[in-house]
């Protein structure tokens, strides 16, 4: 049920970022072979979305069109929406994605957290990395461990001393310190103790 969207033509916008949107269809019309629906920006809040749904249904020529469904959506990252998702849920999810990006949708999808627990995202999200080893390398740099090696290891031994960041990352993952969710360009890393 992919409904055509006109691409945003504003050159100032990030071409990768898509505002979370839903396509709402009148079921009375749909069940009678007509397509009546429209795209709605899901970041406008639940009340405003309900108003737009009411306006869509008001255009119907069917008797008492009250039922609607989400027939398409975009900008929700890996999170999948059902046809009959609560608008309050969709609006809250869209707000989180708009505020934090697709990593928010990845955490919600991965964790199954209820919307009341979504505030944990800020404490849990560490960042996006190409892989876990790159994350461990960043830790080594941030803590200055390489410079400690340069300072304290004799010159002739430096080529033999290294920090195994691949094993370090794997140990952090296995120990529950971190977990990750795949992204389009790598992984989102989260704190396992949040």
């Amino acid at each position: 049920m992919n409904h055509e969207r006109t691409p945003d033509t504003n050159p100032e916008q990030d071409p990768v970022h898509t505002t979370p949107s839903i396509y709402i269809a009148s079921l009375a019309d749909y069940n009678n072979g007509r397509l009546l629906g429209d795209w709605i920006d899901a970041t406008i809040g639940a009340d405003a979305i309900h108003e737009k749904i009411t306006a869509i249904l008001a255009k119907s020529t069917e008797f008492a069109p009250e039922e609607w469904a989400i027939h398409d959506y975009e900008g929700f990252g890996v999170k999948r929406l059902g046809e009959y998702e609560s608008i309050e849920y969709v609006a809250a999810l869209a707000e989180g994605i708009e505020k934090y990006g697709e990593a928010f949708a990845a955490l919600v999808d991965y964790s199954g957290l209820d919307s009341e627990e979504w505030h944990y995202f800020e404490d849990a999200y560490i960042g996006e990395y190409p892989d876990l080893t790159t994350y461990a390398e960043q830790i080594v740099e941030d803590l200055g461990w390489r410079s400690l090696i340069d300072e304290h290891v004799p010159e002739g031994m430096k080529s033999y001393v290294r920090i195994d960041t691949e094993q370090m990352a794997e140990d952090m993952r296995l120990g529950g310190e971190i977990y990750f969710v795949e992204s389009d360009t790598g992984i989102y890393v989260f704190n396992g103790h949040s």
Side-chain angles (χ1 to χ4, degrees):
M1 294 188 213
N2 193 2
H3 300 279
E4 293 291 322
R5 288 288 309 236
T6 4
D8 295 326
T9 55
N10 183 350
E12 306 262 331
Q13 288 181 324
D14 179 2
V16 177
H17 177 73
T18 302
T19 300
S21 304
I22 54 177
Y23 184 88
I24 297 292
S26 162
L27 287 181
D29 291 87
Y30 183 79
N31 291 335
N32 286 302
R34 286 183 298 284
L35 184 60
L36 174 65
D38 204 356
W39 283 96
I40 300 174
D41 177 344
T43 65
I44 62 176
D47 291 341
I49 294 172
H50 281 295
E51 287 174 15
K52 290 195 176 276
I53 291 171
T54 300
I56 290 168
L57 296 177
K59 294 176 187 174
S60 176
T61 57
E62 296 298 320
F63 177 73
E66 297 173 355
E67 295 182 351
W68 54 268
I70 299 172
H71 278 194
D72 206 351
Y73 55 89
E74 64 183 20
F76 286 89
V78 296
K79 183 67 178 144
R80 302 291 163 239
L81 300 179
E83 285 186 311
Y84 304 106
E85 293 286 357
S86 151
I87 291 301
E88 287 70 23
Y89 175 85
V90 170
L93 181 59
E95 180 183 329
I97 293 168
E98 191 69 8
K99 184 173 182 181
Y100 300 113
E102 289 191 9
F104 182 81
L107 177 66
V108 170
D109 186 58
Y110 174 82
S111 68
L113 290 173
D114 292 328
S115 57
E116 297 82 33
E117 301 171 311
W118 290 352
H119 64 277
Y120 290 121
F121 177 84
E122 287 184 2
D123 293 331
Y125 185 55
I126 294 171
E128 185 176 10
Y129 296 86
D131 52 48
L132 277 181
T133 302
T134 304
Y135 168 64
E137 289 169 356
Q138 184 66 52
I139 291 173
V140 167
E141 288 303 316
D142 291 348
L143 295 175
W145 292 349
R146 289 200 205 284
S147 48
L148 286 174
I149 291 171
D150 288 342
E151 281 178 37
H152 298 289
V153 174
E155 195 62 44
M157 294 296 296
K158 286 182 183 176
S159 62
Y160 301 106
V161 177
R162 72 177 186 88
I163 298 171
D164 187 347
T165 52
E166 185 175 346
Q167 187 61 54
M168 179 181 159
E170 186 63 9
D171 288 347
M172 286 189 295
R173 185 187 68 77
L174 291 174
E177 293 176 49
I178 58 171
Y179 62 95
F180 69 91
V181 179
E182 290 187 18
S183 73
D184 290 339
T185 58
I187 58 171
Y188 300 118
V189 179
F190 298 95
N191 181 344
H193 301 297
S194 294

